[in-house]
Amino acid sequence: MRLTQGCFSFLPDLTDDQIYKQVQYCLANGWAVNIEFTDDPHPRSTYWEMWGLPMFDLADAAGVMMELAECRRVYGDRYIRLSGFDASHGWESVRISFIVNRPPQEVEFELLRQEVAGRSVRYTTVRRPPQHVSP
Amino acid sequence: MNAHTGTVSGKERYRSGVMEYKRMGYWEPDYVPKDTDVIALFRVTPQDGVDPIEASAAVAGESSTATWTVVWTDRLTAAEKYRAKCYRVDEVPGAPGQYFAYIAYDLDLFESGSIANLSASIIGNVFGFKPLKALRLEDMRLPVAYVKTFQGPATGIVVERERLDKFGRPLLGATVKPKLGLSGRNYGRVVYEALKGGLDFTKDDENINSQPFMHWRERFLYCMEAVNRAQAASGEMKGTYLNVTAATMEDMYERAEFAKELGSVVVMIDLVIGYTAIQSMAKWARRNDVILHLHRAGHSTYTRQKSHGVSFRVIAKWMRLAGVDHIHAGTVVGKLEGDPNTTRGYYDICRDDFNPMKLEHGVFFDQSWASLNKLMPVASGGIHAGQMHQLLDLLGEDVVLQFGGGTIGHPMGIQAGAIANRVALEAMILARNEGRDYVHEGPEILAKAAESCTPLKAALETWKDVTFNYQSTDTPDFVPTALAAV
Amino acid sequence: MLDLPHARSADASGNEAPLPASFDLRNEAEAAGITATLQQLDQELIGLKPVKDRVRQIASLLLIERIRQRAGLVSSPPTLHMSFTGNPGTGKTTVALRMAKILHGLGFVRRGQVISVTRDDLVGQYIGHTAPKTKEILKKAMGGVLFIDEAYYLHRPDNERDYGQEAIEILLQVMENQREDLVVILAGYGERMTNFFASNPGFRSRIAHHIEFPDYSEAELLFIGELMLRERGYRLSAAARKAFVDYIALRRTQPLFSNARSIRNAIDRMRLRQADRLVSDLDRMLELSDLETIDSADVLASRVFGGGPVVDGQAAGSAK
């Protein structure tokens, strides 16, 4: 299953040049850029692990790419995402977020149904254990 | 035109009988509106032979303290404070016989946090006033002091994005079609296919409530099965606007509660339920962490004609105060009414914290929103993937793009339709952020993205350059050099 | 404008317009802003002819390099790291700013900002502290110029386990591998820089351009002083000018002399003494000329004439 969170998951995986341009777009907007990684990409898993602090005050995306390379070296087997954070009044939130690294075998979820009163069903999305391990 | 007519004062003012409105204190060309005044701008079309100043003063009078004759009981009140004051009347550029009347109302005339009271005051009686041929409420300036008495959007754009974990691009939706006749089970199929394909939201149409072919509980149960399945299949948050519009508040609360119990992130109401019901639902939505979608059903009956009714920009302002999270605000390029400049004005009203006066967008006043949440505009009706560059350019990124026919009508099926829209959108955002001239290179960018996406290729071929190019009826009337009040 | 890493190689391989056969050098230089930047440098720095000549040479080299690349006569991306040696107050920081502008104008750096640091900004206090600190600075400098003042403090020959070594290693790696991403300028006193390069051959080999900043002559310092006074709306009386000439001659021989910076500090103190002198006599009527004139007494009261060194360090530290 291809996890479709983030801004560009329906496009082919971004090349480093494409990532560089998106990061530069964030910097040009005055946003801080944050690198996060996780092995728990559940749709409600908000807090991925932070790879260091968000990067403030950079002029050029090469600095972010340097950290991303390092993060991939250590956590290349996990999901890694970049986000741009806008501290201006009225936003003070993430303004863009996209996946820049996927594990060799993507996560699978399944739906657990608990039948409750009448025809109602309580749904829980859980991670399906890997069916087979890639060589 | 804006000359004094001499307001009568003292004993003379309250002598029994009929007196011209403009001499009763409803025409005060020297009046400077206070920061706390509510200001309304009306387009007044007097009957032949009626003095425009007198007609405008009458609008001020009839929308505040006046009645057709002098009443002595005025003297038991601080009447001068409560009188609405028309302080400026301009000829409408290019529309002979029509006048823009600026009228200021003291804040004490209104109940805190009540759209019902605000609208009953401003548009309650006066629209049927015989000396006028027609009357239109064009715009309002709502003072910060009044804005602060309203809840505002239950969730707001920022928190909606945080909850859904969707940033940096418009959200994608589709209205389930056909509007009428699908059973709950069939209806849920459309929802599942569209969400699994890649949309963020699906939507009930305005008249999907609880009919013989599909009662509301059936719809809710099947829709939530579809939403949850699609969520597990994509690993991404999904939602469907469950329309809880019903005959009574009790019914609406019941439906909304059920939607919440089933885990829906969003419910939907129609504008026709009325302002009070909308405010009640906004409170319910805030209390229950549910996004509130508003369909502007019925608005065109009074917003579309330029000479009579209420402009949609006023409705948009009222709805931001009332507290809905989504509002249909036009597409420009789609099948429904929408002049680009006027529509731009609506979008600004929904999303900005401060709207500067912009006559070319039909915005007559500076309006501060005092940090009230932002309201997400929704573009819906006759739009398709091939217009993605235009939509992004005209509507920006904080918008829900609803591709109903443009998803469900895809020749390869609903999932393919959803994929086409999502790929087109992401490719366009990518290009925009890279600094490309995406508006002009749009077709090229889409064609390139379609090379590795057959569904998009099929969509582009099917709808090619379908557009709805008709003359808009509701366009701003302004002279670029004209000065507006305040 | 080069706005992306590797954009040049992409251009070369892409189906670009055919290469021009001839180049209008004047247009090229003006388009890159070199002409204006060199003029600016000429105006804002007094004297320093050898430095200006070197800057002009480097600018010319880079301009030709850029044109050669466009003409398809490309070699690998050039090494652009530099060292600026000379005593304090000789204009190294100002030249670094202009150099960044030239590099940016020609597209050798993408953004053109100058990040100015010293050892304390790069080197940490405990194990594991230095690498993040150095990287933090490097990230901010990406796309621009990293100016390391008194670079020799990074290296402490007496302490093998000094954390400075870690910073040096990271710097060397980035200077080698990310030549397209940033330009490093190492700066400091001439002699100490020579020793530093001798014990750190890695730096020596990665530096392409050395610029020496000579001390100002006494005449230049006087000119600078009078210019600074004019900018502040003051002038020297004839006697004061004579005293100032003596002052400069004396001050140069004393410790902690830092060229233009010392002159600026001297002027600030002269203004203080002038104000003090004027206010000490509250009963007199002031003329406009009193307000703008520095008198010999304002100069001669300096401790420089008493044989003791002035405390220059404090003011110098805050004068960046």
Side-chain angles (χ1 to χ4, degrees):
Chain A
M1 179 197 99
R2 185 173 172 86
L3 187 77
T4 59
Q5 294 173 21
C7 215
F8 304 118
S9 287
F10 274 71
L11 303 179
D13 287 348
L14 302 191
T15 63
D16 278 4
D17 271 359
Q18 287 176 312
I19 295 170
Y20 176 95
K21 289 177 186 169
Q22 295 300 317
V23 173
Q24 198 58 44
Y25 166 78
C26 295
L27 298 181
N29 280 305
W31 302 341
V33 178
N34 195 19
I35 301 178
E36 294 163 286
F37 61 92
T38 194
D39 57 4
D40 172 26
H42 187 281
R44 287 184 197 268
S45 164
T46 305
Y47 304 111
W48 293 23
E49 299 303 322
M50 288 168 70
W51 176 262
L53 299 181
M55 287 167 264
F56 297 94
D57 309 322
L58 300 197
D60 190 273
V64 174
M65 300 308 288
M66 198 166 88
E67 290 291 348
L68 175 59
E70 191 61 14
C71 183
R72 276 178 176 154
R73 198 178 59 76
V74 181
Y75 294 112
D77 59 345
R78 309 197 185 176
Y79 289 95
I80 303 176
R81 72 181 174 198
L82 290 186
S83 52
F85 192 96
D86 180 359
S88 63
H89 174 253
W91 286 106
E92 291 152 303
S93 180
V94 177
R95 293 297 295 277
I96 188 172
S97 165
F98 53 98
I99 292 174
V100 290
N101 195 75
R102 294 169 185 275
Q105 191 178 359
E106 290 227 32
V107 68
E108 299 280 337
F109 296 108
E110 66 184 322
L111 200 55
L112 297 186
R113 294 180 183 78
Q114 185 194 355
E115 285 137 310
V116 286
R119 294 184 51 228
S120 292
V121 175
R122 212 167 285 291
Y123 297 97
T124 309
T125 302
V126 297
R127 187 163 182 169
R128 183 186 298 159
Q131 304 292 296
H132 54 89
V133 181
S134 54
Chain B
M1 168 178 277
N2 291 306
H4 267 289
T5 49
T7 301
V8 181
S9 61
K11 219 165 75 180
E12 284 300 301
R13 165 67 177 79
Y14 295 102
R15 178 175 294 166
S16 294
V18 177
M19 185 185 288
E20 284 177 312
Y21 287 95
K22 65 184 177 188
R23 305 190 67 213
M24 285 200 284
Y26 298 110
W27 167 239
E28 298 286 356
D30 290 339
Y31 182 74
V32 178
K34 300 193 292 286
D35 284 348
T36 54
D37 283 349
V38 170
I39 304 173
L41 175 76
F42 287 96
R43 181 192 292 254
V44 178
T45 312
Q47 295 283 10
D48 297 341
V50 174
D51 171 22
I53 297 288
E54 173 63 5
S56 301
V59 171
E62 289 297 322
S63 61
S64 62
T65 52
T67 184
W68 62 277
T69 183
V70 172
V71 292
W72 65 269
T73 40
D74 269 350
R75 305 197 69 180
L76 304 177
T77 70
E80 276 160 33
K81 180 182 175 69
Y82 299 135
R83 256 175 231 141
K85 295 161 192 74
C86 180
Y87 60 92
R88 177 174 168 182
V89 175
D90 295 339
E91 290 177 11
V92 175
Q98 300 187 357
Y99 300 87
F100 283 139
Y102 292 80
I103 299 176
Y105 300 81
D106 192 273
L107 189 53
D108 276 7
L109 292 173
F110 308 102
E111 179 176 347
S112 306
S114 169
I115 300 292
N117 176 255
L118 177 69
S119 58
S121 300
I122 307 288
I123 60 171
N125 242 346
V126 65
F127 279 69
F129 194 52
K130 274 186 178 165
L132 306 178
K133 260 190 218 159
L135 182 63
R136 187 182 203 220
L137 178 56
E138 289 281 349
D139 199 2
M140 290 187 80
R141 196 284 303 265
L142 303 153
V144 166
Y146 198 44
V147 170
K148 278 298 211 184
T149 65
F150 287 88
Q151 169 192 287
T155 314
I157 291 178
V158 174
V159 174
E160 171 167 354
R161 286 189 174 284
E162 288 187 343
R163 263 189 218 164
L164 299 175
D165 189 35
K166 295 174 194 290
F167 306 98
R169 61 169 174 87
L171 303 181
L172 290 178
T175 309
V176 174
K177 306 279 171 180
K179 276 175 142 175
L180 299 167
L182 291 172
S183 71
R185 187 181 164 119
N186 292 338
Y187 196 93
R189 164 61 72 185
V190 179
V191 170
Y192 174 67
E193 297 290 322
L195 294 180
K196 166 112 191 291
L199 301 191
D200 305 299
F201 287 127
T202 47
K203 167 181 165 290
D204 291 343
D205 225 332
E206 73 281 2
N207 52 352
I208 286 289
N209 298 155
S210 193
Q211 282 110 320
F213 51 82
M214 175 173 62
H215 290 282
W216 67 273
R217 290 180 67 95
E218 287 301 293
R219 176 162 45 94
F220 285 21
L221 286 162
Y222 281 113
C223 281
M224 289 317 295
E225 168 75 16
V227 166
N228 283 290
R229 276 281 287 148
Q231 205 160 277
S234 62
E236 192 186 6
M237 293 293 289
K238 302 282 182 184
T240 191
Y241 318 153
L242 295 171
N243 192 347
V244 301
T245 297
T248 67
M249 259 340 277
E250 291 74 19
D251 289 340
M252 288 208 287
Y253 282 137
E254 184 193 354
R255 294 179 193 188
E257 286 293 337
F258 190 55
K260 181 190 76 174
E261 273 169 34
L262 293 175
S264 184
V265 294
V266 51
V267 297
M268 162 181 169
I269 50 175
D270 293 341
L271 182 61
V272 291
I273 67 174
Y275 302 138
T276 298
I278 290 170
Q279 284 195 267
S280 290
M281 288 308 297
K283 280 194 167 183
W284 180 92
R286 167 85 47 103
R287 215 165 42 235
N288 291 283
D289 309 325
V290 174
I291 297 163
L292 183 61
H293 179 96
L294 177 80
H295 187 292
R296 55 175 173 170
H299 81 98
S300 287
T301 51
Y302 46 88
T303 60
R304 193 173 182 191
Q305 293 309 319
K306 220 151 113 173
S307 61
H308 192 81
V310 178
S311 161
F312 183 72
R313 83 180 56 84
V314 174
I315 303 296
K317 285 185 175 179
W318 290 354
M319 289 304 103
R320 185 164 175 185
L321 294 176
V324 301
D325 289 314
H326 289 181
I327 187 167
H328 291 246
T331 63
V332 181
V333 295
K335 70 178 179 184
L336 302 176
E337 169 71 30
D339 165 69
N341 287 327
T342 309
T343 305
R344 185 59 203 275
Y346 304 156
Y347 273 67
D348 290 345
I349 283 165
C350 291
R351 297 186 296 201
D352 291 348
D353 194 46
F354 179 79
N355 307 129
M357 181 188 82
K358 221 173 216 169
L359 297 180
E360 63 271 34
H361 292 174
V363 177
F364 286 85
F365 303 105
D366 285 355
Q367 174 69 53
S368 166
W369 288 99
S371 300
L372 212 65
N373 279 347
K374 303 174 206 290
L375 165 54
M376 182 87 86
V378 177
S380 172
I383 55 177
H384 56 84
Q387 299 163 321
M388 202 57 86
H389 50 298
Q390 297 165 306
L391 291 166
L392 188 59
D393 177 46
L394 292 164
L395 310 179
E397 94 182 15
D398 288 299
V399 57
V400 184
L401 300 175
Q402 298 266 155
F403 298 92
T407 300
I408 299 160
H410 193 282
M412 295 160 66
I414 300 170
Q415 281 198 35
I419 290 169
N421 288 320
R422 181 82 175 259
V423 170
L425 176 68
E426 293 190 357
M428 205 55 68
I429 292 283
L430 189 83
R432 181 198 66 175
N433 297 358
E434 286 178 355
R436 289 183 65 181
D437 180 6
Y438 69 95
V439 181
H440 294 103
E441 297 171 30
E444 212 175 292
I445 293 164
L446 292 173
K448 184 90 180 73
E451 279 174 19
S452 55
C453 177
T454 317
L456 179 56
K457 194 177 233 162
L460 296 176
E461 275 162 20
T462 305
W463 292 297
K464 284 196 186 74
D465 32 32
V466 172
T467 49
F468 298 84
N469 275 328
Y470 297 97
Q471 192 65 43
S472 290
T473 56
D474 186 12
T475 52
D477 287 327
F478 72 104
V479 182
T481 53
L483 294 171
V486 188
Chain C
M1 181 63 51
L2 180 71
D3 204 35
L4 283 172
H6 324 302
R8 264 171 278 141
S9 41
D11 283 356
S13 62
N15 44 356
E16 291 291 298
L19 295 166
S22 63
F23 299 86
D24 180 340
L25 211 48
R26 180 183 299 279
N27 279 352
E28 298 280 342
E30 272 167 17
I34 296 176
T35 318
T37 307
L38 289 176
Q39 265 170 16
Q40 188 187 2
L41 192 63
D42 215 28
Q43 282 161 11
E44 67 193 344
L45 289 182
I46 306 296
L48 288 178
K49 182 152 188 319
V51 173
K52 290 172 183 170
D53 287 347
R54 281 291 285 134
V55 172
R56 181 170 291 109
Q57 275 177 8
I58 294 171
S60 305
L61 177 73
L62 296 179
L63 177 64
I64 295 300
E65 178 75 21
R66 167 60 72 238
I67 293 173
R68 282 169 52 87
Q69 281 173 353
R70 284 183 24 223
L73 304 167
V74 197
S75 52
S76 59
T79 300
L80 296 166
H81 307 306
M82 303 179 193
S83 89
F84 289 2
T85 51
N87 289 323
T90 47
K92 296 191 291 289
T93 311
T94 308
V95 172
L97 290 170
R98 298 303 150 240
M99 185 58 81
K101 216 167 156 186
I102 292 168
L103 291 167
H104 184 230
L106 285 165
F108 285 98
V109 293
R110 295 188 294 272
R111 317 289 160 201
Q113 83 279 21
V114 177
I115 303 293
S116 185
V117 299
T118 59
R119 175 187 160 104
D120 287 351
D121 299 304
L122 298 169
V123 181
Q125 303 292 319
Y126 44 85
I127 292 178
H129 192 199
T130 298
K133 266 186 105 164
T134 304
K135 281 185 184 164
E136 195 63 29
I137 295 291
L138 284 169
K139 281 186 276 179
K140 289 192 165 76
M142 288 291 168
V145 170
L146 177 61
F147 182 83
I148 306 178
D149 206 4
E150 302 198 79
Y152 29 76
Y153 285 131
L154 290 175
H155 179 68
R156 295 237 165 108
D158 47 323
N159 181 359
E160 272 186 25
R161 283 182 301 178
D162 178 58
Y163 298 129
Q165 197 53 40
E166 197 178 346
I168 289 174
E169 275 154 28
I170 296 169
L171 280 170
L172 286 175
Q173 199 183 346
V174 170
M175 285 168 76
E176 184 60 32
N177 298 337
Q178 294 186 262
R179 277 182 288 171
E180 292 196 11
D181 290 330
L182 90 166
V183 168
V184 176
I185 298 178
L186 304 173
Y189 293 99
E191 205 176 317
R192 303 188 64 172
M193 287 299 280
T194 310
N195 293 337
F196 174 64
F197 285 131
S199 48
N200 290 276
F203 277 121
R204 167 114 241 161
S205 66
R206 284 173 179 81
I207 299 283
H209 304 285
H210 293 267
I211 303 184
E212 279 176 35
F213 289 67
D215 281 343
Y216 285 106
S217 70
E218 287 173 28
E220 284 169 342
L221 290 169
L222 178 64
F223 190 85
I224 290 169
E226 290 195 302
L227 184 68
M228 287 175 176
L229 280 167
R230 210 161 39 242
E231 282 167 354
R232 291 160 172 76
Y234 290 87
R235 61 185 169 75
L236 294 165
S237 69
R241 187 166 194 273
K242 194 169 168 304
F244 195 43
V245 170
D246 295 343
Y247 173 92
I248 291 168
L250 266 176
R251 181 68 188 88
R252 278 186 90 204
T253 63
Q254 291 177 347
L256 299 172
F257 175 67
S258 55
N259 287 282
R261 200 178 301 157
S262 288
I263 297 298
R264 190 174 61 210
N265 294 337
I267 281 168
D268 287 343
R269 284 190 299 272
M270 277 152 48
R271 288 168 59 204
L272 264 177
R273 289 193 288 263
Q274 184 238 29
D276 201 29
R277 173 171 57 80
L278 294 177
V279 174
S280 67
D281 184 3
L282 287 174
D283 294 329
R284 64 174 282 212
M285 293 299 291
L286 282 180
E287 306 288 325
L288 191 62
S289 62
D290 293 324
L291 289 169
E292 49 182 31
T293 307
I294 300 284
D295 228 341
S296 58
D298 305 328
V299 183
L300 292 170
S302 166
R303 268 174 296 173
V304 166
F305 293 102
V310 286
V311 184
D312 207 27
Q314 196 183 353
S318 62
K320 278 256 159 141

